[in-house]
Amino acid sequence: MPGKGLRGRTCSPNVVPVRKRWAGGQLDVRRTPDGIAAAGLTAAARDAARGRLLALAAGLLAASALVITARNRARSRAGQLADRYALALAQLSADELNVRIGGIRALERVARDSPGHHPAVMEMLAAFIRERSRQPWPPPDPGGQARQRSPQPDMQAAIAVVGRRLAGRDLEPIDLAGADLAGADLTGAVLAGAVLARADLLAATLVRADLSGADLGGARLTGANLDGADLTGADLADADLADADLASAVFTRAELTGALWPADGPIPAGWRRHTGSGQLIAASTGADRAQAHQPYR
């Protein structure tokens, strides 16, 4: 049975009067129960959507914070590497021997920690070796006795670092052209493709060194120990190997024109000794040429 609504109005049994506040007073709004439920669901959906947006915003904010933190750390690390590099370079020119050696070791750590710094570090160390090798060493003996030639301690430290570097990071070959490396210890050194043209390697130790593809044109290797060294494809034109120990050394495809060979050493296949000069020249017979690519052992 119809009832009386607000202000005497007749209301259907299925209409629920809803009173809302309005700016000018009260406003009657009539809705069915289903309409009220629908309105409630819509409000809940809005709240859920708002919650998801807030969660997304919070997630984006956190991600942005992580990116900014990572960038700041990267910049800080780059700055620290730059500072370490600059300090190590300054140590190379120090008067104290132990400070110079400390700088060399610091440069090695920088090169290992930062692939981007590696080429510059190796170029700097190669220049250091070339420059230091021109300074007289060892000091003259007061008694006038001859001293065996050997690298200065800081120079030998730099040679060792270059020899054990991560060669895969090189952009340019190691340049030691013309360096005085007499008596240097290069055991197991990785010098593939290195430029050692006209270098003095008198009595140097090159046991098991990788010299494949290296430029040793005109180098002095007199008395050097090349036992087990790999000289595949190396350029040894006009090099002096007199009295060198070539046991188990590999000379596959090496250029040996004009090389002065040990008098009692087996000559690599494809080459022969010139009768007058003792230097190697290419073999003229077909049989020798056919064996020219076999390694010398």
Side-chain angles (χ1 to χ4, degrees):
M1 178 176 180
K4 293 291 185 176
L6 295 175
R7 297 182 182 176
R9 295 179 182 175
T10 301
C11 298
S12 169
N14 294 326
V15 175
V16 178
V18 178
R19 177 166 293 171
K20 287 189 174 181
R21 294 287 181 183
W22 198 251
Q26 292 183 339
L27 176 67
D28 291 339
V29 179
R30 304 183 199 290
R31 293 181 183 168
T32 65
D34 291 343
I36 293 175
L41 289 174
T42 302
R46 283 199 302 270
D47 291 342
R50 187 179 297 111
R52 287 194 294 270
L53 286 174
L54 289 174
L56 178 60
L60 291 174
L61 183 61
S64 299
L66 289 174
V67 170
I68 292 171
T69 301
R71 286 179 179 173
N72 289 339
R73 286 179 179 173
R75 289 171 183 166
S76 176
R77 183 173 180 272
Q80 291 173 359
L81 282 169
D83 291 343
R84 287 166 55 193
Y85 180 62
L87 177 60
L89 287 182
Q91 289 177 310
L92 283 185
S93 57
D95 293 332
E96 299 82 2
L97 174 63
N98 62 330
V99 175
R100 294 196 300 273
I101 293 177
I104 291 165
R105 292 173 178 167
L107 282 173
E108 180 179 24
R109 289 192 292 271
V110 169
R112 288 187 177 272
D113 292 344
S114 171
H117 282 83
H118 173 96
V121 167
M122 294 307 148
E123 183 179 355
M124 182 59 63
L125 289 178
F128 177 82
I129 293 167
R130 295 194 305 268
E131 183 64 29
R132 296 292 288 173
S133 74
R134 298 187 181 100
Q135 299 180 12
W137 185 265
D141 188 322
Q145 297 294 322
R147 291 183 175 179
Q148 184 177 359
R149 291 173 60 187
S150 62
Q152 301 184 51
D154 52 349
M155 179 180 155
Q156 178 61 59
I159 290 171
V161 169
V162 170
R164 63 175 175 251
R165 75 195 184 287
L166 300 175
R169 295 180 177 179
D170 291 347
L171 295 181
E172 299 291 338
I174 297 298
D175 185 2
L176 297 174
D180 185 350
L181 303 173
D185 185 359
L186 288 157
T187 301
V190 179
L191 293 169
V195 180
L196 290 156
R198 304 176 309 283
D200 190 348
L201 289 153
L202 170 70
T205 301
L206 292 155
V207 175
R208 300 184 305 281
D210 182 359
L211 292 160
S212 56
D215 180 2
L216 288 154
R220 184 185 184 191
L221 289 153
T222 306
N225 187 348
L226 288 156
D227 184 13
D230 183 2
L231 291 121
T232 301
D235 184 356
L236 289 151
D238 299 320
D240 185 353
L241 291 107
D243 300 321
D245 182 355
L246 305 179
S248 300
V250 179
F251 291 92
T252 306
R253 299 187 303 279
E255 173 56 61
L256 299 172
T257 302
L260 187 60
W261 209 251
D264 57 351
I267 299 174
W271 299 89
R272 64 184 180 87
R273 197 191 311 273
H274 185 270
T275 305
S277 66
Q279 294 174 308
L280 296 188
I281 57 176
S284 58
T285 65
D288 286 335
R289 279 197 297 269
Q291 299 177 17
H293 295 302
Q294 295 182 5
Y296 167 76
R297 295 187 182 276

Coordinates of all heavy atoms in Angstrom, one line a residue, residues 239-242 256-263 265 267 272-281:
A239 N 116.8 -9.6 -37.6 CA 117.0 -9.8 -36.1 C 118.3 -10.6 -35.9 O 118.7 -11.4 -36.6 CB 115.9 -10.5 -35.5
D240 N 118.9 -10.3 -34.7 CA 120.2 -10.9 -34.3 C 119.8 -12.0 -33.2 O 119.5 -11.6 -32.1 CB 121.2 -9.9 -33.8 CG 122.5 -10.5 -33.5 OD1 122.7 -11.8 -33.5 OD2 123.5 -9.8 -33.2
L241 N 119.9 -13.3 -33.6 CA 119.6 -14.3 -32.7 C 120.8 -15.2 -32.4 O 120.7 -16.3 -31.9 CB 118.5 -15.3 -33.2 CG 117.1 -14.6 -33.3 CD1 116.8 -14.3 -34.8 CD2 116.1 -15.5 -32.7
A242 N 122.0 -14.6 -32.5 CA 123.2 -15.3 -32.3 C 123.3 -15.7 -30.8 O 122.9 -15.0 -29.9 CB 124.4 -14.4 -32.6
L256 N 111.9 -14.5 -41.6 CA 113.3 -14.7 -41.1 C 114.4 -14.1 -42.1 O 115.6 -14.4 -41.8 CB 113.6 -16.1 -40.8 CG 112.6 -16.8 -39.8 CD1 112.9 -18.3 -39.7 CD2 112.8 -16.2 -38.4
T257 N 114.0 -13.4 -43.1 CA 114.9 -12.9 -44.0 C 116.0 -12.0 -43.3 O 115.6 -11.1 -42.7 CB 114.2 -12.1 -45.1 OG1 113.3 -12.9 -45.8 CG2 115.2 -11.6 -46.2
G258 N 117.2 -12.4 -43.5 CA 118.3 -11.6 -42.9 C 118.6 -11.9 -41.5 O 119.5 -11.2 -40.9
A259 N 117.8 -12.7 -40.8 CA 118.0 -13.0 -39.4 C 119.4 -13.7 -39.2 O 119.7 -14.7 -39.9 CB 116.9 -13.9 -38.8
L260 N 120.1 -13.3 -38.2 CA 121.4 -14.0 -37.9 C 121.1 -15.1 -36.9 O 120.7 -14.9 -35.8 CB 122.4 -13.0 -37.3 CG 123.8 -13.5 -37.0 CD1 124.5 -13.9 -38.3 CD2 124.6 -12.4 -36.3
W261 N 121.3 -16.3 -37.4 CA 120.9 -17.5 -36.7 C 122.0 -18.1 -35.8 O 123.2 -17.9 -36.2 CB 120.4 -18.6 -37.7 CG 119.3 -19.5 -37.1 CD1 119.5 -20.8 -36.8 CD2 118.0 -19.2 -36.8 NE1 118.3 -21.3 -36.3 CE2 117.3 -20.3 -36.4 CE3 117.2 -18.0 -37.0 CZ2 116.0 -20.3 -36.0 CZ3 115.9 -18.0 -36.6 CH2 115.3 -19.2 -36.1
P262 N 121.7 -18.8 -34.7 CA 122.7 -19.4 -33.9 C 123.5 -20.4 -34.8 O 123.0 -21.1 -35.6 CB 122.0 -20.1 -32.8 CG 120.7 -19.4 -32.7 CD 120.4 -18.9 -34.1
A263 N 124.8 -20.4 -34.6 CA 125.7 -21.2 -35.5 C 125.4 -22.7 -35.4 O 125.5 -23.4 -36.4 CB 127.2 -20.9 -35.2
G265 N 122.5 -24.0 -34.2 CA 121.0 -24.2 -34.1 C 120.4 -24.7 -35.4 O 120.8 -24.3 -36.5
I267 N 118.1 -25.0 -38.5 CA 117.5 -24.0 -39.3 C 116.1 -24.4 -39.6 O 115.8 -25.5 -40.0 CB 118.3 -23.7 -40.5 CG1 119.7 -23.3 -40.2 CG2 117.6 -22.7 -41.4 CD1 120.7 -23.2 -41.3
R272 N 117.6 -21.2 -45.3 CA 118.9 -21.7 -45.3 C 119.9 -20.6 -44.9 O 119.5 -19.4 -45.1 CB 119.3 -22.3 -46.7 CG 119.4 -21.3 -47.8 CD 119.7 -22.1 -49.1 NE 119.7 -21.2 -50.3 CZ 120.8 -20.5 -50.6 NH1 121.9 -20.6 -50.0 NH2 120.8 -19.7 -51.7
R273 N 121.1 -20.9 -44.5 CA 122.0 -19.9 -44.0 C 122.9 -19.5 -45.2 O 123.4 -20.3 -46.0 CB 122.9 -20.5 -43.0 CG 123.7 -19.5 -42.1 CD 124.8 -20.2 -41.3 NE 124.2 -21.3 -40.5 CZ 123.7 -21.2 -39.3 NH1 123.6 -20.0 -38.8 NH2 123.2 -22.2 -38.7
H274 N 123.0 -18.2 -45.3 CA 123.9 -17.6 -46.4 C 125.3 -17.9 -46.0 O 125.8 -17.7 -44.9 CB 123.6 -16.1 -46.5 CG 124.4 -15.5 -47.7 ND1 125.7 -15.0 -47.5 CD2 124.1 -15.3 -49.0 CE1 126.1 -14.5 -48.7 NE2 125.1 -14.7 -49.6
T275 N 126.1 -18.4 -47.0 CA 127.4 -18.9 -46.8 C 128.3 -17.7 -46.2 O 129.1 -17.9 -45.3 CB 128.0 -19.5 -48.0 OG1 127.2 -20.5 -48.5 CG2 129.4 -20.0 -47.8
G276 N 128.2 -16.6 -46.8 CA 129.1 -15.5 -46.4 C 128.7 -14.8 -45.1 O 129.5 -14.7 -44.2
S277 N 127.4 -14.4 -45.0 CA 127.0 -13.6 -43.9 C 126.5 -14.4 -42.7 O 126.5 -13.9 -41.6 CB 125.9 -12.6 -44.3 OG 124.7 -13.3 -44.7
G278 N 126.1 -15.6 -42.9 CA 125.5 -16.4 -41.9 C 124.0 -16.0 -41.6 O 123.4 -16.6 -40.7
Q279 N 123.5 -15.1 -42.4 CA 122.1 -14.8 -42.2 C 121.2 -15.7 -43.0 O 121.6 -16.3 -44.0 CB 121.9 -13.3 -42.7 CG 122.6 -12.3 -41.9 CD 122.5 -10.9 -42.5 OE1 122.7 -10.7 -43.6 NE2 122.0 -9.9 -41.6
L280 N 119.9 -15.8 -42.6 CA 119.0 -16.7 -43.2 C 118.4 -16.1 -44.5 O 118.1 -14.9 -44.6 CB 117.8 -17.1 -42.3 CG 118.2 -17.8 -41.0 CD1 116.9 -18.3 -40.3 CD2 119.1 -19.0 -41.3
I281 N 118.2 -16.9 -45.5 CA 117.6 -16.5 -46.7 C 116.6 -17.7 -47.1 O 116.7 -18.8 -46.6 CB 118.5 -16.3 -47.9 CG1 119.4 -17.5 -48.2 CG2 119.4 -15.1 -47.6 CD1 120.3 -17.4 -49.4

